[in-house]
Amino acid sequence: MKENNNRLGWLFTSPYLLYSIVFFFIPLIWSFYLSFTNWDLIAPDFQFVGFDNFAKALQSPSVHAAFWVTYKFMLVFVPLVSVMALIVSVLVHSLPKYKSLFLVGFFLPYLSSGVVSSLIVKGFLSYNSPLNMSLRKIGIRIDWLGTSWSALFIVGLIMAWKFTGYYALILTASLESIDHEVYEAAAIDGVNSKQRFWRITLPLLYPGFYTTLILAFGVTFGIFTEVYQLTGGGPNFATNTWQMEIFSQAFKNLQAGYASAVALLASIATFVSIYIIRKLLEKWGARNGWV
Amino acid sequence: MVGSKDHRRTRLILLYSLASVLLFVMVYPYLYMVLNSFADWGQVDRKLIPTSYSLKSYSWLFTGGESGVSRPWLGAFLNSVIVSIGSTVLMMLFAVMVAYALSKLRFRGRDTVNNFILFHMFFPSIILLIPSFLIIQKLGWYDTYWALIIPKGMSLWAIFMYTNFFKAVPTVFIEAAKLDGAKDFQILYRIMIPMSKSITSVIFLFLLMERWTELLWDMIMVRSDNMLTLNVLLSQMFGPYGTYPGPLYAGSVLLSLPIIILFIIFGKNFQQGMQVSLK
């Protein structure tokens, strides 16, 4: 019986094992190897260049930009999406009827392709669009995607639009799981609505909130489509995310060796940042007695 | 008492109007897309709600219009269907198999595999992009369906979700089936899969949606026109069609509609499944 299960276990997990060898282990090792070469993605031969790629990457303005842009996106996207998701979930939760109808409606943006949402935004912000026409009438001219702060903000806003409904769904599930007796007991003790939100709803919401925050922080490390479509990483690298930088270096400038080195740096930055964010979030929850 | 009833009613009306306005704002971009795809070309991106309509944008998609840049929109749509369904079916199949082993089979090394999957899941995958491109070339898959389907045919998230769900299925059912002489594959599709209907529709929808809207991978792996997915074609036309935004909106509708229709079909299951999967 035991012998049998051993074989079966490996048989059933074999698709994953094979996959992880071909599309995880081999690429991982290969990536380390490539980052020490000057390979150009096409030519069959290349040389070892030692740590040159890393030295070059650490001095490159576009790599510096990629490092900081991630955190700038965090500053825009995470608060925006958290507040919007919180508002939507609390609002929907307070509706006695048609809750799921509203939730499904708010979820629709999550189904959109980044290409499509970028296209819509580009059209909406084009020179002769209704928005810009009316702004010009009152004397405001903004080149939305050609200005650093607004380009960054707009990409953050598109992401927030996309993820709000999804996170609201997670938060609503947490809200629904809160026992009504807790509220009733609090009402008997004379707790007002402000105290109720901060002292009861928020702490009980924390597990769901923690999940959405971790997901939201994760999103900021993988932004590509919207930036590729709308700004190409510009203006002046203001929206140059890690993915955009690696893509441009490897597949546009054909510096695959150098791009591998950048990818290695990006992975380290991502790994360390996510680790620190997790620890901080857990500490924050523990300090407030929410965990 | 009458006053408080009135008060409650006003509050409800207020809440529903607020929720409706908010919902309208969130869905408006879709509305804008659909309206502009049917708008007269002189009005595309010129009005919040266009006043005159035509089907020119859609006919342009299939004929290429007078510009002569006829692009394979229909072929790209079919490619997207083939690739997305292919990858999603593989992801579902493998996820169910692996999750069954990790949750219900006792074998040496199980914990190691389980922990490794978690590690793999949180590993920054960007580092794998360039060498994966190389592997695809070495395998001879570059510019073929294989490159689009197989490497995207494994979802660690789906494995993780199914493993957690299967753990909750009572082992008694499995033992009873084994006494009746059922093989493990039979247990999988007679017991485990039927019991996980609710989360299956959620996982399926998420995976399909993610695959359908993938850009970076599909863009790198393919060179020929007749291999492009719809998302990539739309992305490529961003520049050249810049002066003809109408057809781009029509293409966007073509890309968005299938997923929204599926979502509405599975919508009912989706609600339940979401709740189950979040517990």
Side-chain angles (χ1 to χ4, degrees):
Chain A
M1 192 70 183
K2 235 175 192 167
E3 187 65 19
N4 195 13
N5 261 354
N6 255 339
R7 257 199 13 236
L8 262 179
W10 289 103
L11 181 73
F12 273 70
T13 45
S14 62
Y16 170 70
L17 298 172
L18 194 66
Y19 176 86
S20 71
I21 291 169
V22 180
F23 295 108
F24 185 73
F25 282 111
I26 296 177
L28 191 62
I29 295 162
W30 214 334
S31 184
F32 277 101
Y33 170 76
L34 284 173
S35 63
F36 293 100
T37 70
N38 65 353
W39 187 53
D40 67 356
L41 201 70
I42 296 159
D45 45 299
F46 49 80
Q47 283 97 42
F48 269 94
V49 292
F51 284 91
D52 282 9
N53 288 331
F54 292 96
K56 193 176 141 200
L58 288 172
Q59 284 168 355
S60 152
S62 60
V63 171
H64 290 182
F67 179 80
W68 290 112
V69 160
T70 310
Y71 305 109
K72 287 180 193 163
F73 270 127
M74 264 180 211
L75 282 178
V76 179
F77 170 70
V78 176
L80 205 60
V81 80
S82 310
V83 170
M84 279 162 69
L86 202 60
I87 291 174
V88 168
S89 63
V90 170
L91 188 63
V92 170
H93 182 64
S94 66
L95 302 176
K97 264 187 190 173
Y98 307 116
K99 238 179 242 186
S100 50
L101 201 69
F102 275 99
L103 276 181
V104 165
F106 281 114
F107 189 79
L108 286 178
Y110 187 69
L111 305 174
S112 68
S113 150
V115 178
V116 171
S117 52
S118 302
L119 197 125
I120 294 167
V121 166
K122 198 168 189 182
F124 199 75
L125 297 176
S126 62
Y127 186 77
N128 285 319
S129 73
L131 177 75
N132 281 330
M133 290 283 253
S134 33
L135 281 178
R136 271 202 298 279
K137 265 182 205 152
I138 56 170
I140 300 173
R141 282 165 180 273
I142 302 177
D143 180 5
W144 292 99
L145 297 169
T147 312
S148 298
W149 69 267
S150 60
L152 200 78
F153 178 74
I154 281 162
V155 175
L157 192 68
I158 298 174
M159 306 303 285
W161 171 74
K162 175 169 177 166
F163 286 95
T164 293
Y166 177 28
Y167 297 166
L169 213 58
I170 297 176
L171 292 178
T172 310
S174 300
L175 279 175
E176 309 259 284
S177 70
I178 298 175
D179 206 338
H180 279 280
E181 280 169 25
V182 180
Y183 286 125
E184 278 158 24
I188 292 166
D189 289 345
V191 171
N192 67 33
S193 59
K194 201 172 146 193
Q195 284 172 322
R196 196 177 73 172
F197 180 77
W198 290 103
R199 296 279 170 78
I200 300 172
T201 309
L202 216 54
L204 290 172
L205 201 56
Y206 181 75
F209 206 50
Y210 175 81
T211 311
T212 58
L213 281 174
I214 290 287
L215 288 174
F217 278 113
V219 165
T220 54
F221 287 94
I223 299 178
F224 175 74
T225 306
E226 290 78 2
V227 164
Y228 173 77
Q229 290 306 335
L230 288 175
T231 65
N236 198 18
F237 303 131
T239 55
N240 196 39
T241 60
W242 281 121
Q243 313 251 339
M244 190 65 217
E245 171 68 13
I246 292 158
F247 170 79
S248 331
Q249 294 301 349
F251 298 97
K252 274 193 182 150
N253 301 346
L254 299 180
Q255 294 185 301
Y258 173 66
S260 299
V262 176
L264 190 62
L265 294 175
S267 304
I268 294 168
T270 307
F271 205 80
V272 172
S273 303
I274 295 274
Y275 182 80
I276 292 173
I277 289 164
R278 281 187 99 113
K279 286 288 157 214
L280 285 177
L281 275 178
E282 276 159 21
K283 248 190 186 152
W284 178 58
R287 206 185 58 194
N288 288 299
W290 295 342
V291 184
Chain B
M1 267 339 253
V2 177
S4 105
K5 203 177 170 189
D6 269 1
H7 179 76
R8 211 181 110 75
R9 198 188 217 164
T10 344
R11 204 181 90 104
L12 273 184
I13 292 172
L14 213 71
L15 279 175
Y16 275 102
S17 353
L18 196 63
S20 309
V21 170
L22 215 59
L23 183 61
F24 179 78
V25 172
M26 292 299 273
V27 187
Y28 178 72
Y30 280 122
L31 202 67
Y32 184 83
M33 166 185 85
V34 174
L35 289 174
N36 273 303
S37 76
F38 287 108
D40 205 59
W41 279 21
Q43 293 196 339
V44 177
D45 285 332
R46 296 286 190 279
K47 285 202 154 73
L48 284 181
I49 294 167
T51 46
S52 67
Y53 295 90
S54 80
L55 286 172
K56 197 172 167 194
S57 294
Y58 286 93
S59 68
W60 176 283
L61 275 195
F62 299 106
T63 61
E66 53 266 41
S67 77
V69 266
S70 178
R71 302 292 289 162
W73 290 98
L74 213 60
F77 181 81
L78 286 177
N79 284 342
S80 277
V81 171
I82 292 167
V83 164
S84 303
I85 290 182
S87 281
T88 309
V89 166
L90 284 184
M91 282 191 265
M92 299 296 285
L93 181 75
F94 292 152
V96 167
M97 277 174 70
V98 176
Y100 178 67
L102 292 178
S103 60
K104 291 294 175 208
L105 294 175
R106 291 192 177 281
F107 62 98
R108 216 175 295 129
R110 182 173 82 166
D111 291 344
T112 316
V113 176
N114 210 353
N115 288 335
F116 186 75
I117 289 178
L118 282 180
F119 169 75
H120 189 170
M121 213 165 129
F122 290 105
F123 196 86
S125 60
I126 182 69
I127 194 171
L128 308 172
L129 185 69
I130 297 161
S132 298
F133 174 76
L134 261 167
I135 287 173
I136 295 300
Q137 282 191 324
K138 297 262 176 206
L139 288 170
W141 288 355
Y142 181 66
D143 212 21
T144 66
Y145 283 129
W146 301 118
L148 298 177
I149 294 173
I150 309 282
K152 288 268 157 195
M154 183 71 65
S155 164
L156 305 177
W157 172 77
I159 294 175
F160 176 76
M161 295 295 279
Y162 271 119
T163 306
N164 280 345
F165 190 83
F166 285 170
K167 272 182 188 158
V169 174
T171 317
V172 189
F173 287 126
I174 296 164
E175 277 162 4
K178 273 193 177 152
L179 285 179
D180 288 344
K183 292 273 181 303
D184 283 272
F185 270 105
Q186 287 172 322
I187 292 171
L188 198 54
Y189 72 84
R190 291 237 182 99
I191 299 176
M192 303 310 266
I193 295 174
M195 283 187 93
S196 50
K197 243 185 210 156
S198 56
I199 71 157
T200 295
S201 59
V202 172
I203 294 176
F204 176 78
L205 208 63
F206 266 79
L207 294 179
L208 189 76
M209 186 276 295
E210 229 161 75
R211 187 67 196 90
W212 182 259
T213 56
E214 170 68 37
L215 180 69
L216 185 54
W217 185 266
D218 294 1
M219 197 160 78
I220 292 169
M221 288 307 154
V222 149
R223 181 186 40 202
S224 357
D225 271 2
N226 61 355
M227 287 302 300
L228 298 174
T229 58
L230 186 55
N231 205 33
V232 177
L233 179 61
L234 200 60
S235 158
Q236 281 189 356
M237 287 299 101
F238 228 78
Y241 274 22
T243 39
Y244 305 106
L248 286 179
Y249 283 113
S252 301
V253 171
L254 201 62
L255 184 70
S256 311
L257 213 58
I259 289 289
I260 292 180
I261 289 173
L262 274 179
F263 183 73
I264 289 166
I265 294 171
F266 286 109
K268 217 173 158 194
N269 275 333
F270 186 76
Q271 257 290 309
Q272 298 170 340
M274 213 48 202
Q275 243 141 30
V276 174
S277 67
L278 290 171
K279 263 174 194 161

